């Protein structure tokens, strides 16, 4: 069995862990760096903090606003993803997410009364967002929600930073979305995929030797029947397709986040264009990962 060292903390509304080789004298330093990175990016991208850069940008919709290089980088990735997925990944779903009831931190949402659905709000305004190097212009009344792709990007940055601290390899996992950096053990790293309907049970087990996995589920952040955070931009409502959960592989976690949302909305057809494991409403589990050189089922 692979001997590893692990540290964990909570950030971005989920559990985050760093995994590295056991016995490295650089692990403590890497752990400190990873935690600081997540704290920094949570302050930048949280929509639940009034002092975050994201909140400032959204409050300035209708006028040009200067942004940090990190904010510009993630926004550029999100706009590219919107085009690449024909709008299935949409960073302008903020109003629709709030209308669905996800209007506070998820821990607070579960602790309080169940949210009632409010009238849906239109999506699909990503094409109207202008980004010019360190300036951004949102149309009036439009807000960005960069949660998933910002988390994936942070996982990527943190994994590379851990290796830069001197670890031969590092795996950063944020709520099941993970990235491995450096040169991992030749046997790879076992990764379990949680069953979306049976917490603690696994829908599958994969061996990761490079790149990233991301999982998107309509059961993980749900607060009632049909009430969850994954908006279908075509309707402006929580997605109701055949897929309960999509786990996909990609070179980076930011890209895997995008592909996972795409897979959840596309369903079985996604497996013709990308590597993934889909858990369907009817109980079937479909995957093409066993034929993937990067991830073997």
């Amino acid at each position: 069995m692979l001997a590893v060292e692990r540290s964990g903390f909570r950030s971005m509304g989920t559990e985050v862990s760093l995994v590295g080789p056991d016995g490295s004298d650089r692990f403590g330093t890497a752990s400190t760096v990873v935690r600081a990175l997540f704290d920094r990016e949570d302050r930048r991208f949280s929509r639940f903090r009034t002092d975050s850069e994201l909140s400032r940008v959204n409050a300035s919709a209708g006028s040009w606003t200067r942004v940090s290089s990190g904010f510009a980088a993630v926004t550029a990735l999100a706009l590219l993803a919107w085009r690449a997925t024909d709008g299935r990944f949409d960073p302008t779903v903020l109003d629709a997410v709030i209308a669905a009831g996800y209007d506070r931190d998820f821990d607070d949402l579960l602790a309080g009364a169940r949210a009632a659905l409010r009238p849906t709000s239109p999506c699909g305004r990503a094409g109207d967002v202008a980004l010019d190097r360190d300036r951004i212009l949102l149309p009036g009344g439009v807000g960005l929600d960069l949660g998933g792709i910002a988390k994936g990007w942070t996982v990527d940055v943190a994994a590379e930073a851990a290796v830069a601290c001197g670890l031969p390899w590092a795996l950063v996992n944020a709520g099941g979305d993970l990235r491995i950096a450096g040169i991992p053990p030749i046997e790879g790293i076992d990764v379990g995929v949680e069953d979306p309907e049976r917490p603690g049970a696994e829908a599958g087990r994969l061996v990761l030797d490079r790149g990233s996995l991301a999982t998107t589920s309509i059961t993980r952040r749900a607060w009632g029947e049909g009430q969850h955070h994954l908006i279908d931009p075509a309707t402006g409502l929580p997605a109701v397709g055949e897929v309960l959960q999509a786990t996909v592989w990609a070179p980076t976690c930011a890209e895997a986040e995008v592909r996972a949302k795409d897979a959840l909305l596309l369903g079985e057809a996604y497996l013709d264009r990308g590597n993934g494991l889909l858990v369907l409403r009817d109980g079937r589990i479909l995957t093409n990962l066993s034929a993937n050189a990067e991830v073997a089922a």
Side-chain angles (χ1 to χ4, degrees):
M1 177 181 253
L2 179 64
V4 300
E5 192 164 355
R6 185 186 308 266
S7 67
F9 55 92
R10 190 163 180 85
S11 184
M12 293 186 167
T14 193
E15 297 299 324
V16 180
S17 63
L18 169 67
V19 180
D22 187 34
S24 173
D25 59 359
R26 306 303 297 165
F27 187 84
T29 299
S31 181
T32 299
V33 167
V34 166
R35 183 162 192 163
L37 280 169
F38 269 88
D39 288 346
R40 182 188 72 191
E41 300 312 327
D42 186 52
R43 291 193 300 272
R44 195 197 313 255
F45 291 112
S46 174
R47 67 182 178 91
F48 305 114
R49 301 175 61 129
T50 58
D51 61 346
S52 71
E53 186 171 5
L54 179 68
S55 293
R56 177 175 62 82
V57 169
N58 285 339
S60 302
S63 61
W64 283 97
T65 306
R66 292 203 178 274
V67 294
S68 63
S69 59
F71 193 97
V74 172
T75 303
L77 288 174
L79 296 178
L80 286 172
W82 177 75
R83 296 184 181 93
T85 61
D86 294 325
R88 288 182 296 276
F89 179 91
D90 186 350
T92 64
V93 297
L94 177 61
D95 285 348
V97 172
I98 293 173
Y102 196 2
D103 55 359
R104 72 205 86 162
D105 182 87
F106 192 68
D107 290 341
D108 295 334
L109 182 61
L110 290 182
R114 180 174 296 176
L117 284 171
R118 294 185 278 278
T120 185
S121 298
C123 307
R125 299 296 303 277
D128 298 325
V129 175
L131 182 64
D132 179 18
R133 289 173 292 188
D134 66 343
R135 299 190 307 150
I136 189 170
L137 174 63
L138 303 183
V142 172
L144 294 177
D145 181 0
L146 300 172
I149 195 168
K151 181 178 70 170
W153 181 80
T154 302
V155 168
D156 290 326
V157 172
E160 295 292 349
V163 170
C165 287
L167 296 183
W169 63 269
L171 185 146
V172 175
N173 183 342
D177 299 336
L178 52 92
R179 164 78 183 274
I180 189 167
I183 302 175
I186 192 168
E187 66 270 29
I189 298 173
D190 282 346
V191 178
V193 178
E194 187 173 73
D195 188 309
E197 296 188 292
R198 296 184 301 154
E202 292 182 353
R205 179 157 286 273
L206 312 173
V207 178
L208 183 68
D209 65 7
R210 72 189 75 177
S212 297
L213 290 175
T215 296
T216 291
S217 171
I218 66 172
T219 65
R220 181 175 294 177
R221 288 182 180 265
W223 51 93
E225 183 66 30
Q227 293 178 271
H228 57 80
H229 73 299
L230 286 162
I231 299 297
D232 182 347
T235 64
L237 295 169
V240 293
E242 64 178 340
V243 181
L244 287 180
Q245 179 173 284
T247 299
V248 304
W249 181 90
T252 68
C253 198
E255 185 176 350
E257 281 276 355
V258 172
R259 292 189 187 185
K261 174 69 180 296
D262 201 25
L264 188 132
L265 292 177
L266 276 176
E268 295 184 43
Y270 177 81
L271 299 179
D272 293 329
R273 63 179 71 189
N275 295 305
L277 184 152
L278 308 180
V279 181
L280 306 187
R281 289 181 185 272
D282 62 11
R284 287 182 296 155
I285 298 176
L286 307 178
T287 184
N288 58 7
L289 286 173
S290 60
N292 181 16
E294 287 78 16
V295 183

